[in-house]
Amino acid sequence: MTSINPIVHGVRQPILPPAKTESKQKTSMTFQETLKTISSAPEALTISKHAEQRLNERGIHIHENEWNLIGQKLTEAKSKGVTDSLVVLKDAALIASAKNNTIITAMNREEASTRIFTNINGTILMDY
């Protein structure tokens, strides 16, 4: 009688599980999606104590959706090489560091119209 021998030509053959190609594709897609999300997400906008004080003193109120848009525009400006920016809104003007994503100071538009702005290398107009 002949028996079935798991050894072929004197070498034991390993039993390999089936390849999970679908799992690998999902993992790489998830990583790519995550990377894209992280790289396109704006950093959190920070308001310096000085800017917060100026906003309160001057009665400047900026809505949350405007803050979000300012953060997005600062991220875009940073990607274009801007480090310090003047952000001009309908009722206010802000000096912001695109490099640090921080609002440095704030003034109303009347004050801004009589000022000379130095040490900025970009302007964001959001006059809506």
Side-chain angles (χ1 to χ4, degrees), residues 11-28:
V11 177
R12 186 167 287 223
Q13 299 295 319
I15 300 174
L16 300 175
K20 295 181 181 180
T21 57
E22 186 177 319
S23 173
K24 288 180 183 177
Q25 289 175 347
K26 285 183 183 177
T27 303
S28 65

Side-chain angles (χ1 to χ4, degrees), residues 71-83 85 98 122-124:
Q72 291 172 2
K73 292 297 182 179
L74 280 175
T75 300
E76 184 181 339
K78 182 179 179 178
S79 73
K80 294 182 180 203
V82 174
T83 56
S85 179
T123 301
I124 299 170

Side-chain angles (χ1 to χ4, degrees), residues 86 88 92-94 107-117:
L86 170 65
V88 181
L94 311 171
M107 62 199 79
N108 61 39
R109 284 292 295 266
E110 285 181 25
E111 290 176 290
S113 67
T114 61
R115 303 286 167 120
I116 296 173
F117 298 97

Side-chain angles (χ1 to χ4, degrees), residues 84-123:
D84 297 295
S85 179
L86 170 65
V87 180
V88 181
L89 304 169
K90 183 177 182 178
D91 298 322
L94 311 171
I95 300 294
S97 168
K99 181 172 58 174
N100 301 327
N101 218 36
T102 302
I103 303 299
I104 298 168
T105 194
M107 62 199 79
N108 61 39
R109 284 292 295 266
E110 285 181 25
E111 290 176 290
S113 67
T114 61
R115 303 286 167 120
I116 296 173
F117 298 97
T118 60
N119 298 326
I120 61 170
N121 65 346
T123 301

Side-chain angles (χ1 to χ4, degrees), residues 6-68:
I7 299 175
V8 178
H9 301 291
V11 177
R12 186 167 287 223
Q13 299 295 319
I15 300 174
L16 300 175
K20 295 181 181 180
T21 57
E22 186 177 319
S23 173
K24 288 180 183 177
Q25 289 175 347
K26 285 183 183 177
T27 303
S28 65
M29 291 300 288
T30 303
F31 175 75
Q32 289 172 351
E33 290 170 359
T34 303
L35 182 61
K36 184 177 178 182
T37 302
I38 290 171
S39 64
S40 65
E43 295 177 35
L45 187 62
T46 304
I47 302 171
S48 71
K49 288 182 182 182
H50 175 79
E52 186 176 350
Q53 185 179 24
R54 294 293 181 257
L55 289 166
N56 290 331
E57 287 174 356
R58 293 169 172 136
I60 299 169
H61 302 285
I62 299 174
H63 298 285
E64 185 177 345
N65 60 344
E66 290 176 299
W67 282 122
N68 291 334

